Amino acid sequence: MTQTTTTDTATTRADQLPQVHLPRNAGMELDMDWVARVQANTSAIERRAASLPGRRSVKKAHQAAWLAKAVTLIDLTTLAGDDTPGRVRRLCAKARQPVRADLLEALGLPAITTGAVCVYHDMIEVAVEALAGSGIPVAAVSTGFPAGLSPFHLRVAEIEESVKAGAEEIDIVISRRHVLTGNWQALYDEMREFRAACGEAHVKAILATGELGTLRNVARASLVCMMAGADFIKTSTGKESVNATLPVSLTMVRAIRDYEARSGFEVGYKPAGGISKAKDSLVYLSLMKEELGDRWLQPDLFRFGASSLLGDIERQLEHHVTGAYSAGYRHGIG
């Protein structure tokens, strides 16, 4: 699909993703024949995923540039029961300047920000105020996160309240039982209603892939959520015992590729949970580049659901500049 520009006055705010202007995924009618045909060759997927870390090496200045790119794709997140306004403000300050200015200057890189800040509903207003004027969107987890088992009307109302509070992105959790029982119509209808409740806010569908049983279920759930209008599909809440993995990611990004080929709409991808090392971010970036192309290396189509990842990336960048690793306290993250 052709990318629109900021001068395209025919494109309204509701039709744009934060940061980069791109037509939203309008969705399509549920195609049960297509869903039924979706399969996943687990052994082949695992072989391909296993090849990713070992065959690609990015060194020196190129590695520093790729790591800086990874920073711009992070949804800097705090989802703890003891979150306070002060913690969220510190996190937002880090989102505004995720890497120390002296390191960026030494690397010859411009000022950068993270892709978004992700919080619970109660912290949305604090985050919106702290990020005012930065262009960094606030994302909120919703729909009974992380289990998604609260009454349906309350899940829809939660989305509406978060949008009203200022969230530009809503991370919803699907009902896993619909996938496990093969009730694809129920999943489609649920996702469609969540999408409508979001209004102008953009919706990331969390599949909780560690609880879906098979890669075939992951592929089918990805496709159904995109048919229902999801702007992003996301692996995990970060609360499951198994979160983002390369085989799951490969399955989901190939579903995105198939959906784009059929519908013309580009859908984003967000691996979340378990990605804490700079070297892991490079593997995911190479996966996106090889499977979907350079367009999916922008924050409107790819995000990392992580916070500890940022600290390790900043340490690696300092090592590149100075030749020595620094103590963690030199890279405060809130």
Side-chain angles (χ1 to χ4, degrees), residues 223-273:
L223 186 60
V224 171
C225 286
M226 288 187 287
M227 288 180 180
D231 295 300
F232 264 73
I233 52 175
K234 175 180 172 182
T235 59
S236 324
T237 66
K239 309 294 186 182
E240 297 89 54
S241 58
V242 178
N243 294 293
T245 67
L246 287 173
V248 159
S249 295
L250 183 60
T251 301
M252 294 175 71
V253 299
R254 287 187 172 174
I256 289 171
R257 189 171 67 190
D258 290 346
Y259 180 78
E260 191 273 337
R262 175 78 69 91
S263 71
F265 290 109
E266 297 163 328
V267 174
Y269 177 61
K270 180 178 174 180

Side-chain angles (χ1 to χ4, degrees), residues 89-111:
R89 291 189 189 100
R90 290 194 300 271
L91 196 75
C92 292
K94 187 65 175 175
R96 284 176 173 269
Q97 186 176 317
V99 178
R100 292 199 336 252
D102 62 302
L103 294 180
L104 293 176
E105 183 178 359
L107 292 165
L109 295 173

Side-chain angles (χ1 to χ4, degrees), residues 175-223:
S175 298
R176 285 69 134 178
R177 65 184 180 277
H178 295 329
V179 179
L180 296 173
T181 59
N183 192 344
W184 304 114
Q185 184 68 58
L187 177 61
Y188 177 87
D189 292 342
E190 174 185 81
M191 184 68 234
R192 200 72 179 163
E193 192 153 349
F194 289 161
R195 166 71 153 79
C198 285
E200 294 187 7
H202 292 78
V203 58
K204 305 189 195 90
I206 307 173
L207 305 188
T209 55
E211 297 177 348
L212 297 189
T214 67
L215 291 178
R216 183 175 67 179
N217 280 345
V218 171
R220 290 178 173 178
S222 298
L223 186 60

Side-chain angles (χ1 to χ4, degrees), residues 75-80 82-83 87-88 91 117-120 123 307:
D75 276 5
L76 202 56
T77 302
T78 182
L79 298 172
D82 59 353
D83 281 343
R87 173 182 289 176
V88 171
L91 196 75
V117 168
C118 185
V119 295
Y120 276 120
M123 293 297 159
S307 289

